[in-house]
Amino acid sequence: MFLTTIDDIARLSSRCVWDAGISGFYRETGSIYIDSNMAFKEVETLPPNLKACDVTLSSMPSLCAIPPGLQVRDRLILRNLPQITEIPDDLRVSELQLTRCHRVKSLPFGTTTGSLFVTDCASFSDIPAGFQAYGQTYYLGGRCLTSTADLVISKCPSLSILPEGMRIQRNLLISFCHSFVGLPHRMYVGGTIAIRHCRNFEGFPENLGLVRGDLIIEDCLHVVDLPKYLNIYGNLIIKNCPNLNSIHDGINVKGKVIRI
């Protein structure tokens, strides 16, 4: 639902229905979408305690902070917010998207999301130790459903490392992060690991024993070797990694080895 005034936002939030089974209300009042084409260019604050199934805040150059008490059941999209510096420390969402929020440096400790997508955020450099991207279980029409979760970071030049102990339910994808040097020694990834166009990436931890999906390495010029006893349940895909010349006999790939 598109809004035109700040009062509209407050009224909508007070009427939001969280039960996705009530489909009419879910579609009509479950989402808040605000961008600069809706006369919000000079808005510096939003009403506290907003509540919605999905929230999108886009292209608001004067917005200084995410409103306190924000409650989002499903997806929070923050896009083109140049004044925003922090993400609320009590945030729990099924999906968080940060795009061109250049002053956001990190996520607060204890943040738990479903999927996390961070794109073109110049200062973003830190994910807290023990970060988890895990899906949520919910009930719809009498059925128990579980959402899945990915961690995707792209075009974040300040990101150099990921935290020890992180847990990603599905896929880990890092691309065009030119300061990124390596993965942590302790982590869990339930699906594919892809490192693309990270020119300073040095390689994988020696104790990386298992990749549960594909392992994709592209345009990583400093990678010279893979862990000696690595098991890959999917495919091993190597593209434009000129220094990665050989694959140890101890590496087991259940899918295909593809060199491009």
Side-chain angles (χ1 to χ4, degrees):
M1 183 174 182
F2 289 80
L3 308 170
T4 56
T5 70
I6 296 299
D7 289 340
D8 286 340
I9 299 170
R11 286 195 297 269
L12 174 62
S13 180
S14 68
R15 294 187 292 115
C16 277
V17 175
W18 291 71
D19 183 1
I22 309 177
S23 59
F25 284 97
Y26 180 85
R27 289 195 302 268
E28 185 67 20
T29 68
S31 299
I32 294 175
Y33 184 100
I34 313 167
D35 71 13
S36 61
N37 296 319
M38 301 159 63
F40 286 110
K41 287 186 177 180
E42 303 307 319
V43 171
E44 297 183 3
T45 61
L46 290 172
N49 302 315
L50 291 178
K51 178 180 178 181
C53 296
D54 297 286
V55 172
T56 298
L57 305 177
S58 176
S59 300
M60 301 176 68
S62 298
L63 184 67
C64 297
I66 306 303
L70 176 67
Q71 298 181 57
V72 183
R73 192 194 65 181
D74 292 330
R75 179 184 300 166
L76 174 61
I77 299 175
L78 305 177
R79 182 171 55 224
N80 295 330
L81 304 177
Q83 301 302 320
I84 295 295
T85 60
E86 296 181 348
I87 303 301
D89 59 8
D90 57 351
L91 184 65
R92 301 291 184 273
V93 294
S94 293
E95 183 176 312
L96 173 61
Q97 296 183 23
L98 300 176
T99 303
R100 291 185 292 279
C101 296
H102 291 304
R103 297 185 66 189
V104 174
K105 295 181 179 180
S106 65
L107 297 178
F109 180 78
T111 298
T112 300
T113 72
S115 290
L116 171 63
F117 300 90
V118 185
T119 304
D120 196 10
C121 294
S123 299
F124 188 82
S125 61
D126 186 38
I127 294 177
F131 171 80
Q132 297 188 50
Y134 257 66
Q136 297 183 355
T137 300
Y138 57 95
Y139 293 88
L140 179 62
R143 293 181 299 165
C144 178
L145 304 176
T146 302
S147 61
T148 55
D150 302 306
L151 173 59
V152 180
I153 305 179
S154 180
K155 298 180 181 179
C156 294
S158 298
L159 180 75
S160 61
I161 59 173
L162 293 176
E164 294 288 332
M166 71 175 188
R167 295 181 61 83
I168 311 302
Q169 183 180 15
R170 196 165 62 166
N171 302 318
L172 170 63
L173 311 174
I174 308 292
S175 64
F176 295 99
C177 295
H178 296 314
S179 296
F180 186 67
V181 295
L183 295 171
H185 288 83
R186 295 184 298 107
M187 67 175 185
Y188 172 89
V189 178
T192 288
I193 298 176
I195 310 296
R196 292 187 167 110
H197 311 288
C198 295
R199 61 192 180 199
N200 288 307
F201 181 70
E202 297 174 353
F204 299 90
E206 190 59 38
N207 68 341
L208 178 65
L210 176 63
V211 176
R212 295 168 178 84
D214 295 338
L215 178 60
I216 303 171
I217 316 164
E218 181 178 354
D219 284 331
C220 296
L221 305 183
H222 293 289
V223 176
V224 299
D225 211 347
L226 294 176
K228 293 181 180 179
Y229 303 105
L230 179 62
N231 289 287
I232 302 173
Y233 284 178
N235 301 312
L236 172 59
I237 302 172
I238 302 170
K239 181 177 181 181
N240 192 27
C241 297
N243 295 311
L244 182 55
N245 296 318
S246 62
I247 299 174
H248 295 296
D249 292 337
I251 294 178
N252 178 33
V253 181
K254 292 189 175 181
K256 297 180 179 179
V257 177
I258 303 171
R259 287 183 176 270
I260 303 173

